[in-house]
Amino acid sequence: MPDRGGGPTGPRIRVGRPSRRVRTLLMTLGVLAVLGMAFTMFAGFWTDWLWYRSVNYSSVFTTTLWTKVGLFFVFGLLMALAVGLNIWLAHRLRPPLSAMSMEQQSLDRYRMGIAPYKKWLLFGITALVGLIAGASASGQWRTWLMWVNGVSFGQKDPQFHLDVSFYAFDLPWYRFLLGFGFAATILSLIAAALTHYLYGGLRVTSPGARATAAATGHLSVLLGVFVALKAVAYWLDRYGLAVKSSDFKATDNWTGLRYVDANAYLPAKTILFCIAVICALLFFATLWRRTWQLPVIGFGLMVLSAILIGGLYPAIVQKFQVQPNEQAKEAPYVEKNLKATREAYGIDGTQVTEYSGTSNTEDKTRLRDDVDATASIRIMDPNIASPTFQQLQQMRKYYAFPDNLDVDRYSVNGEDQDTVIGLRELNLAGVDKQNWINNHFRYTHGYGVVAAKGTTADSEGRPSFTESNLPSQGVLGQYQQRIYYGEKTTTYSIVGGPQKEIDYSDDSGEKTTSYTGKSGVNLSNPVNRAAYAVAFGEPQILYSGAIGEGSRILYNRTPKERVEAVAPWLTIDGDAYPAVVGDRIQWIVDAYTTTNGYPYASRTTLGDTTADSLTATNDNRAVVAQQNQVNYIRNSVKATVDAYTGEVKLYQWDTEDPVLKTWMKAFPGTVEKKSAISTDLMAHLRYPQDLFKVQRELLTRYHVKDATTFLSGSEVWQVPDDPTNKSGDAVPPYYLSMRMPDQAAQAFSLTTTFTPNGRDNLSAFMAVDSEAGTPDYGKIRVLKLPTSTTVDGPKQVQSQFNSEQDIAESIRLLRGGDSEVEYGNLLTVPLDGGLLYVEPVYVRGGGLKYPLLRKVLVTYGGVTAFEDTLDEALNKVFGAEGTTPTPPDEGGTTTPPASGDATVQEALKDAQEAFTAGQEALKKPDWDAYAKAQKDLEAALQRAAKAQAEADKAGTGGSGGNKAGSSPSPSASPGAGSAPSGKPSSSPTPGASPSG
């Protein structure tokens, strides 16, 4: 019989070879293909390196790269050695002669076929498994860095008394090592068994023993290693119970040990560990006994024990011990879960206060003045006002505002003022002539900030702009207005070279500029140009004459992209917001450190928890890690991105967070100390929305501290659906400057409401102090309403608004023609034991493409008002002195109150005539006549306002205060005084430029 090492070779058959020219051509093509693939791989690597170097975070790139490379080679080599060694050993232990059987004669052909290629086959198999294992291991770079750099939490779990860092940093790495060990053992076992079978060490149909002694010993050792790893898995499973998720009490995110875990699964895992160790020793003993009888029996007992002890016994304990007396059995473990969950999500300091929900003050007029002291009620909804900003302040079609504006606060005349703010960002879709030069060289940036008061509107229902026009002018002073980095800037631009950029346009024509910042990557180097041409799939970059000395390419331009890139270990908040800080526009980005390994803390899925009625219609407002399950979260980092230079800075915000400290050890020098935050920047930092939404979702159940109440489910709340639309999604939280009952003064806050589970009445009101830099920042206050009485919730209040006959009739009139009514944010303000609800109502009328504030809904203590202004509505609700507007006319508007001064009436008459003239000019259209009419209208309104003020001062008449815009205005249908899109705007704002 032939030797197992090979066999005779057959006669050689000569085959016609291709000509030298063909061979040369094929070789050249092959070399070019290899070089092309190599350069493509190099281009991706090189452009990444250049980008990280340009933002001064090259250490992030190198640390991540070398960690991945190290894990790839170490674990790839280990896997290759394990599999290769066992194949070599199985071949070495092959029997010298094979049995006389049909099975072995059939295998002889395969043995002879692979004999000349044995070394290459061994190399190929080991290289393949090594590459796969290395690629898989390189993806664990975060796990490795957290394990090797992990710092202590200073807290121990209540079951095993181990530091939380063991579960957050150590256990995930041990799990990976265990999984790698299982994979290496199984692959080695399969490879060894196949090799033994091929060379006769294992036999299926041949007479005699089914396995040689050598094969038996070899495979037994591998099986012993597998069972030993299983023993380690059983031991780690004991600790894994502290971070195990399970369904419990109608929640699928419960984490930690319960009674059955501590009293059945835990001892079962310990017993199974001991059985697995004994079973592994029996497998190792086959090296001397050369029989599988005892190991097989032991393995069978281990499997049977796993079924009985690990499965059946816990089910019996649950059925006959826990269920008959669940509350008493589970209470101690529920208390551990309550404590850990509240600590892990930062809600352990939540202040829950009983709140009656009804006012005890009989004379409601005294409360009118308290409203202004309690809250700066924002009637300019940032989620509705964007089209209005777009129409009045877009100026050019290649500018655009985000769908949802932001709320910030700015100091005006020494007083903080809630402000709705948006940036005029670049919108390439509005460029008339689309081509490569226009899209990437000429139209490169947005221009200017537009801001408006949050608490007022002008006489036409438009925003009261505090920063407007192009270039922007207003209360924000002098700052760099060019916006090269923004939420809507998603394409690359090449700047700073011979091609001039369009800066902005005014009456004298287009202004051009050339970027002078140091951002981006220099394209003067031909290697860089070639790399970007390949990486971006844009061959023009390589040869375009528009690129020359000083040209720089800008990309990764959204704030979230930049922060994610320089800090890939952070989870980014869904809403980056702009602020004018000093003389720069800075994007402020909130970032979180998270872990999924906090013992006993229940888990949440960020993408689900942070969804609301805004994220349903705007993908930019969603958390990046949609399916990221966590059970610990901290707003540990505040990041900024300069809108002009793109400079990214990371600031340590939570100085006690052990997860952040771990990452700061892994990436030293990337995060600046909290003390580096300037005073100007601190004034614009706020409590992040996504963290607040995670916390409010947890507080629907974890506001209780008593295990009995938690188990009964009687105090479960829910976040109500947004009553202002029909999306069916949760109401978003709202920023608002307000004062909670225990606060001495107003503070910039983030607020929300709760309703009982399955009902619409109000159960609680929640606010968190968002005033950064103050001692109370981050303090969560919850006003808990009594369960014995019912207080209307948001949905009921909205229903009350819609069902009241007078209001319903007014809404019907506002919807006259093709007008649309849009409800703004329904704000809730605690006031004197009761709850004040305020909701602005907007109208898009006729040919108008943007909403205007037309009415304000207010309700308190069962009294509802639907008036033109906030002050009028508050006066009516609280019975304060002031004029009462006449009922709406058929056009859906309210006639201004009569003035006792004839000058006011005369001015109003002139204003009405000017308005009518403007409408007639629009119909023709005659733009010169229209412009003259608008000037006359503005002059008449200013004259009327001045006369009204003098009349009030003289005591001859006039209306009460009017926060939402009290200037007299002519009676007009919704949308009056506004031109269709693309026509000159009729805004009387001084200096306003025509749109688009």
Side-chain angles (χ1 to χ4, degrees):
M1 298 299 294
D3 180 78
R4 301 289 73 80
T9 59
R12 295 185 178 180
I13 302 175
R14 300 183 65 85
V15 181
R17 300 174 63 188
S19 66
R20 178 177 295 180
R21 180 177 298 176
V22 173
R23 292 200 308 271
T24 302
L25 178 61
L26 292 174
M27 186 176 297
T28 302
L29 291 175
V31 170
L32 290 176
V34 171
L35 289 176
M37 288 187 292
F39 189 78
T40 300
M41 295 174 63
F42 167 78
F45 164 81
W46 185 243
T47 53
D48 285 347
W49 161 248
L50 291 173
W51 186 87
Y52 276 97
R53 192 175 64 174
S54 73
V55 293
N56 299 317
Y57 281 89
S58 55
S59 63
V60 174
F61 179 81
T62 54
T63 299
T64 304
L65 176 65
W66 289 119
T67 302
K68 291 179 178 180
V69 169
L71 291 172
F72 177 87
F73 280 106
V74 169
F75 286 95
L77 187 61
L78 286 174
M79 181 65 77
L81 286 175
V83 175
L85 180 63
N86 280 282
I87 292 175
W88 175 83
L89 186 60
H91 180 266
R92 183 72 179 269
L93 296 175
R94 69 191 184 279
L97 297 172
S98 61
M100 294 292 294
S101 67
M102 293 298 295
E103 179 186 24
Q104 293 304 311
Q105 290 178 17
S106 299
L107 290 174
D108 269 335
R109 293 197 299 271
Y110 295 103
R111 288 191 284 262
M112 289 187 292
I114 66 173
Y117 312 105
K118 284 189 296 185
K119 291 182 180 178
W120 288 106
L121 190 61
L122 176 63
F123 176 78
I125 292 174
T126 55
L128 179 62
V129 297
L131 287 172
I132 295 173
S136 176
S138 66
Q140 297 294 322
W141 64 272
R142 289 180 177 86
T143 308
W144 161 260
L145 287 176
M146 293 183 78
W147 178 67
V148 77
N149 294 288
V151 301
S152 172
F153 273 69
Q155 292 176 299
K156 295 183 178 182
D157 78 283
Q159 181 66 43
F160 302 102
H161 307 292
L162 296 173
D163 192 88
V164 172
S165 61
F166 170 80
Y167 301 93
F169 307 140
D170 300 344
L171 190 58
W173 179 248
Y174 298 152
R175 289 285 193 190
F176 165 71
L177 292 179
L178 185 63
F180 179 84
F182 273 123
T185 303
I186 292 172
L187 288 175
S188 298
L189 186 61
I190 293 172
L194 289 174
T195 305
H196 279 299
Y197 176 71
L198 181 62
Y199 287 96
L202 292 178
R203 307 178 184 112
V204 177
T205 61
S206 301
R210 298 297 183 207
T212 63
T216 300
H218 184 195
L219 297 179
S220 294
V221 169
L222 290 175
L223 287 171
V225 172
F226 177 85
V227 177
L229 290 173
K230 187 63 180 173
V232 176
Y234 282 133
W235 189 256
L236 291 181
D237 283 347
R238 299 169 68 255
Y239 303 110
L241 292 172
V243 289
K244 182 196 73 170
S245 291
S246 60
D247 297 341
F248 181 54
K249 283 297 173 186
T251 179
D252 57 0
N253 58 7
W254 172 276
T255 303
L257 284 83
R258 290 155 52 192
Y259 180 89
V260 69
D261 297 312
N263 295 278
Y265 281 111
L266 185 58
K269 297 293 184 183
T270 306
I271 295 171
L272 289 171
F273 164 76
C274 297
I275 293 174
V277 170
I278 295 171
C279 186
L281 293 175
L282 291 175
F283 274 108
F284 293 141
T286 56
L287 286 173
W288 296 273
R289 293 180 56 85
R290 303 296 183 181
T291 175
W292 282 358
Q293 184 176 5
L294 285 178
V296 169
I297 294 174
F299 187 78
L301 288 174
M302 187 181 75
V303 173
L304 183 63
S305 299
I307 296 172
L308 295 178
I309 301 175
L312 185 60
Y313 174 62
I316 293 173
V317 171
Q318 178 69 23
K319 180 70 175 177
F320 296 102
Q321 291 190 35
V322 178
Q323 288 185 4
N325 192 17
E326 184 177 45
Q327 194 164 13
K329 296 290 186 182
E330 299 287 16
Y333 303 96
V334 170
E335 289 177 357
K336 296 175 183 177
N337 176 268
L338 288 171
K339 183 176 183 296
T341 301
R342 292 169 64 86
E343 290 172 350
Y345 289 94
I347 56 177
D348 50 325
T350 300
Q351 175 183 304
V352 180
T353 307
E354 299 293 333
Y355 193 73
S356 64
T358 55
S359 173
N360 296 320
T361 302
E362 294 182 2
D363 183 9
K364 294 293 190 293
T365 57
R366 294 195 309 170
L367 297 179
R368 175 63 186 88
D369 293 335
D370 291 343
V371 175
D372 294 334
T374 301
S376 299
I377 298 175
R378 181 173 43 76
I379 57 173
M380 189 54 58
D381 188 344
N383 306 311
I384 289 183
S386 179
T388 308
F389 273 51
Q390 187 82 1
Q391 183 69 16
L392 300 180
Q393 289 295 322
Q394 179 189 25
M395 304 303 181
R396 294 293 181 266
K397 290 191 296 183
Y398 49 81
Y399 293 134
F401 292 92
D403 294 337
N404 301 101
L405 303 174
D406 288 290
V407 177
D408 202 347
R409 64 266 188 231
Y410 286 86
S411 180
V412 179
N413 298 325
E415 293 185 3
D416 283 348
Q417 183 179 86
D418 285 5
T419 302
V420 177
I421 185 171
L423 301 190
R424 194 183 287 113
E425 294 190 47
L426 178 65
N427 174 34
L428 286 176
V431 176
D432 290 330
K433 189 175 182 181
Q434 298 277 337
N435 57 53
W436 190 63
I437 293 294
N438 277 346
N439 291 354
H440 300 289
F441 290 82
R442 286 177 57 77
Y443 295 93
T444 59
H445 59 279
Y447 206 99
V449 173
V450 176
K453 296 178 182 178
T455 55
T456 66
D458 71 8
S459 60
E460 293 295 327
R462 294 167 297 198
S464 295
F465 292 111
T466 57
E467 187 81 7
S468 59
N469 300 331
L470 183 67
S472 294
Q473 300 173 358
V475 300
L476 301 183
Q478 298 296 317
Y479 57 93
Q480 173 57 263
Q481 297 198 21
R482 297 175 182 89
I483 302 160
Y484 282 86
Y485 295 87
E487 288 181 306
K488 302 180 76 68
T489 315
T490 56
T491 188
Y492 71 89
S493 289
I494 298 176
V495 298
Q499 177 66 59
K500 290 293 184 179
E501 311 161 45
I502 293 177
D503 203 19
Y504 66 92
S505 300
D506 59 15
D507 294 338
S508 61
E510 285 186 348
K511 307 293 184 182
T512 60
T513 187
S514 187
Y515 185 69
T516 59
K518 300 302 181 184
S519 182
V521 177
N522 196 319
L523 292 180
S524 300
N525 187 326
V527 175
N528 290 358
R529 292 177 67 170
Y532 279 101
V534 171
F536 286 9
E538 294 279 13
Q540 300 99 314
I541 294 177
L542 188 60
Y543 55 78
S544 174
I547 301 175
E549 188 65 30
S551 290
R552 311 181 72 85
I553 185 168
L554 314 180
Y555 61 105
N556 285 352
R557 297 170 71 183
T558 69
K560 289 197 293 183
E561 280 179 328
R562 296 182 77 77
V563 177
E564 281 177 326
V566 303
W569 34 273
L570 291 173
T571 299
I572 310 302
D573 189 89
D575 182 30
Y577 61 98
V580 177
V581 181
D583 61 350
R584 316 291 292 188
I585 300 174
Q586 298 281 356
W587 287 98
I588 300 175
V589 184
D590 286 288
Y592 310 109
T593 47
T594 63
T595 181
N596 197 25
Y598 198 98
Y600 275 97
S602 291
R603 290 183 171 86
T604 187
T605 303
L606 293 181
D608 296 337
T609 309
T610 57
D612 58 28
S613 62
L614 295 183
T615 61
T617 57
N618 186 352
D619 293 338
N620 291 332
R621 295 292 291 263
V623 167
V624 176
Q626 288 296 309
Q627 302 305 317
N628 191 12
Q629 268 211 336
V630 304
N631 67 352
Y632 172 94
I633 185 169
R634 289 290 186 273
N635 176 214
S636 54
V637 171
K638 300 284 188 181
T640 62
V641 178
D642 192 293
Y644 183 74
T645 66
E647 181 185 22
V648 182
K649 287 189 176 182
L650 307 176
Y651 297 99
Q652 181 184 18
W653 185 247
D654 190 330
T655 57
E656 303 299 323
D657 177 31
V659 182
L660 178 60
K661 290 179 180 178
T662 296
W663 287 117
M664 290 175 68
K665 281 183 63 180
F667 296 97
T670 57
V671 182
E672 298 185 36
K673 296 294 185 182
K674 186 175 183 178
S675 57
I677 299 176
S678 67
T679 303
D680 286 343
L681 176 58
M682 184 70 75
H684 296 283
L685 300 182
R686 67 188 192 188
Y687 201 81
Q689 292 186 67
D690 284 338
L691 176 60
F692 183 79
K693 287 189 277 190
V694 169
Q695 290 174 326
R696 75 171 178 178
E697 184 64 33
L698 269 295
L699 281 170
T700 58
R701 295 183 65 87
Y702 287 91
H703 63 276
V704 301
K705 299 180 181 180
D706 176 66
T708 303
T709 306
F710 184 89
L711 285 167
S712 70
S714 61
E715 290 288 332
V716 176
W717 299 339
Q718 66 181 15
V719 179
D721 293 341
D722 191 342
T724 65
N725 57 59
K726 299 179 180 179
S727 66
D729 295 292
V731 62
Y734 297 122
Y735 286 105
L736 184 69
S737 290
M738 59 166 292
R739 184 184 69 191
M740 291 289 276
D742 66 328
Q743 290 179 291
Q746 290 184 20
F748 192 62
S749 304
L750 191 54
T751 66
T752 192
T753 53
F754 295 105
T755 58
N757 194 24
R759 290 185 290 159
D760 294 326
N761 56 288
L762 198 68
S763 58
F765 174 83
M766 172 182 171
V768 62
D769 193 321
S770 301
E771 201 79 43
T774 62
D776 273 357
Y777 172 83
K779 182 174 182 179
I780 300 174
R781 295 175 170 89
V782 175
L783 302 180
K784 184 175 178 292
L785 280 78
T787 56
S788 57
T789 59
T790 58
V791 177
D792 288 344
K795 188 174 181 180
Q796 291 172 321
V797 170
Q798 187 69 48
S799 178
Q800 178 183 339
F801 284 158
N802 296 338
S803 61
E804 194 160 317
Q805 185 174 351
D806 292 343
I807 296 176
E809 178 62 20
S810 298
I811 294 290
R812 187 189 67 79
L813 291 173
L814 289 175
R815 287 196 173 116
D818 57 354
S819 297
E820 297 178 6
V821 172
E822 297 183 30
Y823 293 101
N825 37 223
L826 180 58
L827 301 177
T828 308
V829 178
L831 177 68
D832 190 49
L835 291 161
L836 174 70
Y837 285 97
V838 178
E839 182 178 59
V841 178
Y842 295 80
V843 176
R844 294 179 190 247
L848 217 65
K849 295 184 178 180
Y850 59 95
L852 297 175
L853 178 65
R854 287 305 186 194
K855 292 285 185 178
V856 179
L857 283 160
V858 175
T859 184
Y860 182 82
V863 180
T864 301
F866 185 59
E867 303 297 329
D868 290 348
T869 69
L870 175 62
D871 276 356
E872 290 173 358
L874 290 172
N875 288 340
K876 182 174 181 179
V877 166
F878 294 103
E881 292 184 1
T883 60
T884 303
T886 58
D889 59 24
E890 292 183 358
T893 61
T894 302
T895 304
S899 171
D901 195 297
T903 306
V904 176
Q905 296 297 331
E906 183 180 350
L908 288 176
K909 181 180 178 182
D910 292 343
Q912 183 65 57
E913 290 176 354
F915 169 76
T916 304
Q919 297 302 302
E920 292 297 328
L922 274 178
K923 294 177 181 179
K924 293 181 180 180
D926 183 346
W927 300 116
D928 292 335
Y930 178 79
K932 181 180 183 303
Q934 299 312 298
K935 290 181 180 179
D936 293 342
L937 175 61
E938 181 181 349
L941 289 174
Q942 290 176 349
R943 198 165 66 252
K946 182 178 179 180
Q948 180 70 62
E950 292 175 353
D952 290 343
K953 185 175 180 181
T956 59
S959 64
N962 185 353
K963 259 194 175 182
S966 58
S967 299
S969 63
S971 175
S973 62
S978 300
S981 178
K983 305 297 188 297
S985 169
S986 64
S987 170
T989 306
S993 300
S995 65

